[in-house]
Amino acid sequence: MCAVLVSVYSSAAVMLVHVVSLLCVLGAQAMELHRVTPTTSIKCVNCPSNVPSDAHSAPIVHCLCSSVPDRTVCSWADPPQATPLHYIATYSERQKQPVTRPCVLIPPGAPHSQLNLWHCHLPELKLLTNYILNVTAVYPGGSSSHLSTFMMEDIVKPDPPQAVQVSCQNSRTVQVKWDPPSTWAHIDIFPLKYELLYQWTSRGQLKFNHLGPFKRTSTPVSGLAVGRTYQFQVCAKDSLGLGHCSEWSAPVNITLPLHTHRV
Ligand SMILES: *[C@@H]1O[C@H](CO)[C@@H](O)[C@H](O)[C@H]1NC(C)=O
Ligand SMILES: *[C@@H]1O[C@H](CO)[C@@H](O)[C@H](O)[C@H]1NC(C)=O
């Protein structure tokens, strides 16, 4: 439709062509932005006709970016029905098909990989770009591909903050401090913000409160009850709000003193 508009107006005024094509670019980008939900397509390629296609399952693949722009990893488990001979993992920019690049495969059990999961690493991705990932499971009698489309912005999820420490300031205030996740490599260019969760039990009921977001890596928390135990956790999120907050950090408990010791 954009192309038609351009050709209709191009003879009338060059300026208008520019305006229309700019709108087309913006329109195309807006459309791309809507196409972020992962889609799964399972198909059996070259299946012998006597083999039901579900005998060749495609893996179910999840992708996460734990450091913008160069740490995106996709992972999947072997399909339960049958173990493939091997996998072929490739990715491409939706606009630049059919130029595909290999997604670097890391087999289960390799150092730093979760048990039983295959991983593949997509070295450097661009923002505002739609990618197509193709993970093909190759079986003796055929193959089956999982296709998903994503933008890096939507799959950003840092690792949790590290070294969370809680110390008493006075009988009702604590100071919470933490370090950014060390895996988030470019914190100067892509800063993080943090959210704080603290929980306590009151008359047998679990209560909680959220604080933040903070750009700094420490905060006082006041208005706490003397003698009560509180559990603190922190999560990290890209400061522009891209993607998701990390998992909560490992809980740290502190019990506020019952008595204040004044001098
Ligand atoms: C996915 O990859 C497989 C193996 O390289 C290939 O045969 C298949 O055509 C690809 N599918 C698409 C839709 O690109
Ligand atoms: C930490 O505090 C929370 C909330 O009061 C409590 O549920 C949890 O059992 C505590 N954990 C430990 C190890 O004391």
Side-chain angles (χ1 to χ4, degrees), residues 88 134 136 145 147:
I88 304 166
N134 174 352
T136 298
S145 301
L147 297 176

Side-chain angles (χ1 to χ4, degrees), residues 186-215:
H186 309 285
I187 200 150
D188 298 337
I189 312 166
F190 302 103
L192 292 171
K193 60 184 179 184
Y194 305 92
E195 287 167 33
L196 187 81
L197 166 69
Y198 63 99
Q199 305 181 61
W200 66 94
T201 3
S202 172
R203 299 196 188 98
Q205 286 214 307
L206 190 65
K207 310 237 168 151
F208 66 90
N209 200 5
H210 283 274
L211 291 180
F214 305 102
K215 296 216 159 163

Side-chain angles (χ1 to χ4, degrees), residues 38-219:
T39 55
T40 307
S41 142
I42 297 176
K43 59 180 179 181
C44 183
V45 184
N46 304 327
C47 284
S49 54
N50 59 337
V51 176
S53 65
D54 62 359
H56 298 293
S57 300
I60 295 165
V61 182
H62 298 282
C63 298
L64 281 180
C65 172
S66 61
S67 181
V68 176
D70 50 13
R71 201 187 289 253
T72 299
V73 170
C74 299
S75 59
W76 62 92
D78 282 330
Q81 295 84 351
T83 305
L85 294 173
H86 65 271
Y87 293 97
I88 304 166
T90 57
Y91 66 103
S92 56
E93 289 180 33
R94 183 190 276 275
Q95 309 305 47
K96 289 194 185 159
Q97 290 181 79
V99 182
T100 61
R101 278 176 283 179
C103 187
V104 185
L105 272 176
I106 306 160
H112 311 299
S113 77
Q114 262 173 288
L115 217 61
N116 300 332
L117 285 186
W118 286 83
H119 293 81
C120 82
H121 180 219
L122 295 82
E124 180 124 353
L125 301 183
K126 291 183 261 180
L127 289 164
L128 285 172
T129 305
N130 237 288
Y131 288 94
I132 299 174
L133 176 77
N134 174 352
V135 178
T136 298
V138 180
Y139 295 94
S143 64
S144 184
S145 301
H146 168 105
L147 297 176
S148 50
T149 164
F150 64 88
M151 294 212 289
M152 182 170 52
E153 291 84 314
D154 299 306
I155 57 166
V156 173
K157 188 177 180 186
D159 286 328
Q162 293 169 293
V164 179
Q165 288 178 25
V166 188
S167 54
C168 276
Q169 295 274 83
N170 60 47
S171 60
R172 292 179 156 272
T173 305
V174 298
Q175 181 77 13
V176 186
K177 59 178 226 162
W178 58 89
D179 289 341
S182 60
T183 48
W184 189 266
H186 309 285
I187 200 150
D188 298 337
I189 312 166
F190 302 103
L192 292 171
K193 60 184 179 184
Y194 305 92
E195 287 167 33
L196 187 81
L197 166 69
Y198 63 99
Q199 305 181 61
W200 66 94
T201 3
S202 172
R203 299 196 188 98
Q205 286 214 307
L206 190 65
K207 310 237 168 151
F208 66 90
N209 200 5
H210 283 274
L211 291 180
F214 305 102
K215 296 216 159 163
R216 56 187 193 270
T217 55
S218 68
T219 183

